[in-house]
Amino acid sequence: QSYSVAAFKDPMREGLSVSETDFSLAYAVATVLSAVLLPYVGRVVDAVGARKTLPLIAAGLGAGCLYMSSITSLTGLYLAFCIVRSLGQGALSLISVWLVGEWFEKKRGMATAVAGLGGGLSVMTVPILNNWLITQYGWSTAWVVLSLSVWGVLVVPGMLLIRDRPEDIGLRPDGFEKPDEDLARSAEDEGESESENTSLPLIAPTGESWTVSEVLRDATFWKLLAVPSTAGLVGTGLVFHQVALMRTRGLGSFEALGLMTIQAAFATLMTFPIGWLTDRVESRFILFSAMLCLAGASLLVMTLPFAWLAIVYALLLGLHGSILRSTGNVVWINFYGRAHQGAVRGVAWSAMILASALGPLPLAVSIDCFESYIPALSLFIALPIAAAIAVSTARAPRREATAEVL
């Protein structure tokens, strides 16, 4: 979503007569609201399923985009961003990854990577499409087009095509075999041992399932959380201000948005290799690499001695994004199980989105107060390095270690 909004930032700021900091703060407040709501959304999806929640959330997101097309004030911007961020960045993203986690286990990394192709293709095309729509018809009409697209692609297809879990139709994750009586009985016993709530869905026992309270007491969780939180803050900040950042290095808005296409293309190219690695290599090593890519990208955009190095910047962000969409998504269910994956992921993503809410602010404040992006970019180099060190020590959790001191 940040890639999509990046194309709207300057035209909307001019049209609404708001400052860089005001626009960024509206985006940040909306993102905070999204983060606050996400743990509750995760619990609802665990209990009700994606088939019911996806069409409702998509309908609301389309309505939010339509409302965005009509705003005329800073107050309207705040309200519209709250709707779009809460339903798009938060709830809709969680539902899509939740479905993959339910339907796949042994090939979960590759399946998540394949599902992430949509994200990569959208990053490759949507910012350019948005820029073209804004140039030809204005930012208001562009939001109307996005609204109609959301309704057409997600509402009715979601109602007709989605099934929540393989067990609901007599299947198991990764295959099309019916669970035998022993597996079904084991799944039922596991559900009873974890909760007295008999409304929990029947899930084949493919591994331990942790509750949110158990996860929050586990040291590994906090080490893993450093990665998406840092990616949310630094990645969102870089993308949100990419046009302005590249302008300081002599690149125009078309070239800056074109870098997003290169970034998305490389992320898409790396989808299958990263998915393959995710199923075979310890997650901490792959996530460590993602943080190094993010630090390197921040360093490049701060210095950029040659214009062609902007391409390297885009490639680093693309590789980083591909890892986050694959390894960064499956690590939660791989480590903490299926039964409460929505709730656990909701807590993790809440922290990530809260961090992304802050992402645009350091660069905005830096340019407004110091007339330079250098102070904020220095921070954007240090944070991924710290996160890389933290995640390099994260190992698969064990219940008896949940009391370990961080």
Side-chain angles (χ1 to χ4, degrees):
Q1 196 173 72
S2 296
Y3 295 93
S4 184
V5 172
F8 285 92
K9 190 186 73 167
D10 288 342
M12 289 187 70
R13 279 203 313 108
E14 295 173 4
L16 299 174
S17 300
V18 298
S19 71
E20 184 100 18
T21 299
D22 284 338
F23 192 90
S24 297
L25 190 59
Y27 193 78
V29 169
T31 306
V32 169
L33 177 62
S34 172
V36 170
L37 295 176
L38 200 52
Y40 302 100
V41 173
R43 292 178 184 274
V44 170
V45 177
D46 282 336
V48 178
R51 191 180 186 187
K52 294 180 180 178
T53 54
L54 176 59
L56 292 175
I57 289 171
L61 177 60
C65 292
L66 189 62
Y67 173 67
M68 182 75 86
S69 71
S70 66
I71 63 172
T72 58
S73 66
L74 182 60
T75 302
L77 182 66
Y78 269 83
L79 180 57
F81 266 150
C82 284
I83 297 171
V84 171
R85 289 295 279 172
S86 297
L87 299 179
Q89 168 68 10
L92 204 61
S93 300
L94 187 146
I95 289 173
S96 63
V97 178
W98 183 92
L99 279 168
V100 175
E102 291 297 320
W103 278 88
F104 296 91
E105 183 194 3
K106 294 179 181 179
K107 301 292 185 181
R108 189 173 286 147
M110 183 60 74
T112 303
V114 172
L117 281 173
L121 292 174
S122 68
V123 171
M124 195 186 310
T125 57
V126 171
I128 301 298
L129 175 62
N130 286 347
N131 191 54
W132 181 82
L133 287 171
I134 293 167
T135 302
Q136 297 295 319
Y137 305 104
W139 61 265
S140 181
T141 300
W143 278 112
V144 173
V145 173
L146 291 179
S147 172
L148 297 176
S149 300
V150 169
W151 282 336
V153 172
L154 293 177
V155 177
V156 175
M159 296 171 61
L160 297 179
L161 301 179
I162 287 179
R163 296 297 182 271
D164 292 323
R165 297 177 176 89
E167 292 87 352
D168 293 344
I169 53 176
L171 304 178
R172 294 180 57 195
D174 292 317
F176 298 92
E177 301 175 358
K178 291 185 178 180
D180 57 34
E181 294 181 2
D182 291 337
L183 283 174
R185 191 179 303 113
S186 297
E188 186 175 1
D189 292 342
E190 180 183 349
E192 290 175 355
S193 66
E194 290 179 354
S195 173
E196 294 180 358
N197 182 4
T198 56
S199 65
L200 283 175
L202 179 64
I203 295 176
T206 56
E208 282 190 327
S209 289
W210 295 50
T211 64
V212 171
S213 60
E214 289 176 321
V215 168
L216 292 176
R217 296 194 300 270
D218 179 49
T220 295
F221 173 78
W222 299 99
K223 295 173 182 178
L224 294 173
L225 193 62
V227 171
S229 298
T230 301
L233 191 151
V234 177
T236 300
L238 290 176
V239 170
F240 195 84
H241 294 282
Q242 182 152 302
V243 173
L245 286 168
M246 290 302 163
R247 188 181 297 129
T248 65
R249 299 301 169 189
L251 300 179
S253 61
F254 183 80
E255 288 82 5
L257 292 172
L259 289 175
M260 294 184 184
T261 302
I262 296 174
Q263 174 183 338
F266 190 64
T268 302
L269 180 66
M270 295 303 296
T271 292
F272 294 109
I274 296 299
W276 184 86
L277 285 174
T278 299
D279 290 327
R280 292 165 174 80
V281 178
E282 282 191 60
S283 296
R284 60 193 179 109
F285 297 129
I286 305 176
L287 296 175
F288 175 88
S289 301
M291 291 295 94
L292 293 186
C293 288
L294 192 57
S298 299
L299 178 62
L300 271 178
V301 79
M302 183 172 70
T303 56
L304 206 66
F306 306 103
W308 63 266
L309 284 174
I311 296 176
V312 179
Y313 159 84
L315 295 178
L316 287 173
L317 283 185
L319 180 57
H320 159 265
S322 187
I323 292 173
L324 265 292
R325 279 195 292 270
S326 183
T327 313
N329 276 328
V330 304
V331 68
W332 307 110
I333 187 171
N334 283 351
F335 276 28
Y336 299 112
R338 290 177 62 199
H340 308 285
Q341 67 142 325
V344 172
R345 197 188 305 276
V347 172
W349 280 22
S350 178
M352 177 187 69
I353 294 174
L354 281 171
S356 71
L358 300 175
L361 292 179
L363 288 166
V365 172
S366 184
I367 194 66
D368 286 347
C369 295
F370 304 104
E371 298 183 353
S372 171
Y373 289 116
I374 299 299
L377 289 172
S378 299
L379 176 67
F380 281 8
I381 295 171
L383 289 176
I385 292 174
I389 294 171
V391 78
S392 67
T393 65
R395 299 183 182 276
R398 295 180 180 178
R399 272 201 166 87
E400 60 268 25
T402 57
E404 178 183 341
V405 177
L406 298 180

